[in-house]
Amino acid sequence: MAVMKIFGTPLSVNVARVIAVMNEKNLEYELVDVNLHNGDHKKEPFLSMNPFGQVPAFQDDDIKLFESRAICNYIVFKYKTEGTDLTHLADLKEGSIVGVWCEVEAHQFNPLVSGIMYEYIFTKFLGGETNESKIEEYCAKLTTVLDVYEERLKTCKYLAGDKFSMADLHHCPYLELFMKTPKAEMVTSRPHVLAWWQDISSRPAWVKASSGMQIPSA
Amino acid sequence: MAVMKIFGTPLSVNVARVIAVMNEKNLEYELVDVNLHNGDHKKEPFLSMNPFGQVPAFQDDDIKLFESRAICNYIVFKYKTEGTDLTHLADLKEGSIVGVWCEVEAHQFNPLVSGIMYEYIFTKFLGGETNESKIEEYCAKLTTVLDVYEERLKTCKYLAGDKFSMADLHHCPYLELFMKTPKAEMVTSRPHVLAWWQDISSRPAWVKASSGMQIPSA
């Protein structure tokens, strides 16, 4: 059986997410470079793997997938007994609460932080200007979200309860970048969110996955 | 064992999503009204069920959940052998591809169509003005997404393959509203997307779920 392949670059937050899950599960994989500078993700043969032209894509024998969170779900489903339990599905209640906070990440957190990072990094990278008023608009909404996180993390160590889970892990890629921006104080000023971030970002699986992430220079 | 409770109003796209899954699974539930006009979703006791103040919230005995897609996942996981199989997880490959297209809905389709519907309906409802240039911006991106759907649906009847799945169902709530806007031709002009929409929107589970949805008047 061939080793699982991740098509992308470790610079990408979404690739780093998949690598972190691989590391938590102690799995081997091959990272097949996709050159974003050349726009290789917007051309064939990459578009046959992901018609939206975004990294990562993924292959495990005859199974070809895209969308980082779907790839992560595949890995944790296939290797449920290996490495860190990220879903806690052995208990219906625990597993369902992990599911809730995975959805919170996807629908409450990600749109705001990805919007902020787009303005800080990608707009500049693409030769445009950072739109400060958009950043302020996103940050106002993120304040409300992080206030909920602060309350939640007063009652449990991790978002879905007392155990680390996929819900926490999914926050790592964008928070890693966000903590390098002038808005990092939104995390550091909330003691429970800060303690949670220090905990989840110091996990060896994430330290290793994030080592390939760099903020691209303009 | 008490009947499962959905807290919300059938007017809400996210409540209709959960009701559709209940209907596909032939399950009984109680809909507990939350009055959005009074802002009951932004007050206690609702905030104890969903700290983000959004409908639906959900209760099944001692399990309390929020985020509509997490509630749907709970229902299909608990009742995997009843009614329509929405996940196809008995086959790892099939199930993983359902997962991919669920993520496509969440990250490619939903942000754009919810943005468009926000401008057409909710902005007006809240006493503001529809921002036509924002609608055009979203529609330009949605064109690319629907072009991918059209190509995909040339090769298989449903998004994840030849079987109806959760990935299709998740599109119903916002498409139901979108088809009542001047932008509906984005769907009707794409023959495979149109055939898919006519198919999935005529399923009895969705017809029944959507009967409670109405576009609120300003």
Side-chain angles (χ1 to χ4, degrees):
Chain A
M1 189 182 283
V3 72
M4 291 183 281
K5 287 182 186 167
I6 304 171
F7 297 82
T9 160
L11 289 173
S12 152
V13 288
N14 295 314
V15 173
R17 170 180 290 119
V18 175
I19 293 175
V21 170
M22 290 283 191
N23 294 347
E24 288 285 357
K25 291 285 178 187
N26 304 317
L27 298 171
E28 276 188 69
Y29 61 89
E30 180 189 346
L31 186 62
V32 183
D33 190 58
V34 177
N35 191 321
L36 306 187
H37 287 272
N38 293 351
D40 286 354
H41 54 313
K42 302 293 181 191
K43 301 172 195 163
E44 291 296 351
F46 189 81
L47 286 178
S48 303
M49 292 192 289
N50 181 354
F52 294 98
Q54 295 167 344
V55 293
F58 172 85
Q59 183 171 5
D60 184 15
D61 285 326
D62 70 333
I63 295 183
K64 293 178 181 181
L65 307 173
F66 56 96
E67 286 287 339
S68 66
R69 292 168 187 79
I71 299 167
C72 293
N73 285 341
Y74 170 84
I75 298 164
V76 299
F77 187 84
K78 183 169 176 185
Y79 297 98
K80 55 171 84 71
T81 59
E82 295 184 34
T84 310
D85 180 0
L86 295 169
T87 59
H88 307 295
L89 272 170
D91 180 282
L92 180 60
K93 187 173 176 179
E94 272 186 51
S96 302
I97 293 170
V98 172
V100 166
W101 288 91
C102 282
E103 290 297 320
V104 168
E105 186 276 333
H107 295 278
Q108 310 286 348
F109 174 87
N110 185 77
L112 303 175
V113 177
S114 66
I116 293 166
M117 295 317 305
Y118 187 87
E119 290 302 325
Y120 273 128
I121 299 179
F122 303 107
T123 303
K124 269 194 184 164
F125 183 63
L126 296 168
E129 283 297 312
T130 294
N131 183 330
E132 294 288 347
S133 73
K134 266 197 182 175
I135 290 177
E136 292 312 315
E137 195 183 314
Y138 287 131
C139 283
K141 291 178 183 171
L142 187 60
T143 294
T144 309
V145 172
L146 291 180
D147 282 348
V148 172
Y149 281 35
E150 181 68 8
E151 286 306 307
R152 174 72 182 163
L153 293 164
K154 277 180 190 167
T155 68
C156 45
K157 191 172 176 189
Y158 297 103
L159 286 175
D162 291 326
K163 298 173 189 163
F164 177 77
S165 79
M166 189 78 107
D168 306 299
L169 183 147
H170 278 328
H171 288 78
C172 288
Y174 268 122
L175 271 181
E176 183 76 32
L177 296 182
F178 184 79
M179 295 307 289
K180 297 183 171 72
T181 73
K183 299 298 180 186
E185 61 80 27
M186 292 179 73
V187 168
T188 56
S189 64
R190 289 174 170 82
H192 293 85
V193 175
L194 176 61
W196 166 73
W197 169 244
Q198 287 171 335
D199 180 332
I200 66 174
S201 63
S202 64
R203 293 179 68 85
W206 179 247
V207 171
K208 201 172 157 198
S210 64
S211 64
M213 286 173 67
Q214 290 164 27
I215 297 190
S217 53
Chain B
M1 190 183 281
V3 70
M4 291 184 281
K5 287 181 187 168
I6 304 171
F7 297 83
T9 161
L11 288 174
S12 151
V13 288
N14 295 315
V15 173
R17 170 179 289 119
V18 175
I19 292 175
V21 170
M22 290 283 190
N23 294 346
E24 289 284 359
K25 290 286 180 186
N26 303 318
L27 298 171
E28 276 188 70
Y29 62 88
E30 180 189 348
L31 185 63
V32 183
D33 189 59
V34 177
N35 191 322
L36 305 187
H37 288 272
N38 293 351
D40 286 354
H41 55 312
K42 301 293 181 190
K43 302 172 193 163
E44 291 297 350
F46 189 81
L47 287 177
S48 303
M49 292 192 287
N50 180 353
F52 295 98
Q54 294 165 346
V55 293
F58 172 86
Q59 183 171 4
D60 184 16
D61 286 327
D62 70 333
I63 295 184
K64 293 178 182 181
L65 307 173
F66 56 96
E67 286 287 338
S68 65
R69 293 169 186 78
I71 298 167
C72 293
N73 285 341
Y74 170 83
I75 297 164
V76 300
F77 187 84
K78 183 169 176 186
Y79 297 98
K80 52 171 85 74
T81 59
E82 297 186 33
T84 311
D85 180 1
L86 295 168
T87 58
H88 307 296
L89 272 169
D91 180 283
L92 180 60
K93 188 173 176 180
E94 272 187 51
S96 301
I97 293 171
V98 172
V100 166
W101 288 91
C102 282
E103 290 297 319
V104 168
E105 185 278 331
H107 294 280
Q108 310 286 348
F109 174 87
N110 184 77
L112 303 175
V113 178
S114 67
I116 292 166
M117 295 317 305
Y118 186 88
E119 290 302 325
Y120 273 129
I121 300 179
F122 303 108
T123 303
K124 270 192 184 165
F125 184 64
L126 297 169
E129 283 297 312
T130 294
N131 184 330
E132 294 289 346
S133 73
K134 265 197 182 175
I135 290 178
E136 293 311 316
E137 194 183 316
Y138 288 131
C139 284
K141 291 178 183 168
L142 187 60
T143 294
T144 309
V145 172
L146 291 180
D147 282 347
V148 172
Y149 281 35
E150 181 68 7
E151 286 305 307
R152 174 72 182 162
L153 293 165
K154 278 180 190 166
T155 67
C156 45
K157 190 171 177 190
Y158 297 104
L159 287 175
D162 291 325
K163 297 174 190 162
F164 178 77
S165 78
M166 189 79 107
D168 305 298
L169 184 147
H170 278 329
H171 288 77
C172 287
Y174 268 122
L175 271 182
E176 183 75 32
L177 296 183
F178 184 79
M179 294 308 287
K180 297 184 171 73
T181 73
K183 299 297 181 187
E185 60 81 27
M186 293 180 74
V187 168
T188 57
S189 64
R190 290 174 170 83
H192 293 84
V193 176
L194 177 60
W196 166 73
W197 169 242
Q198 287 172 335
D199 180 333
I200 67 173
S201 62
S202 64
R203 293 179 68 84
W206 178 247
V207 172
K208 200 172 157 198
S210 64
S211 65
M213 284 173 68
Q214 291 164 26
I215 297 190
S217 53

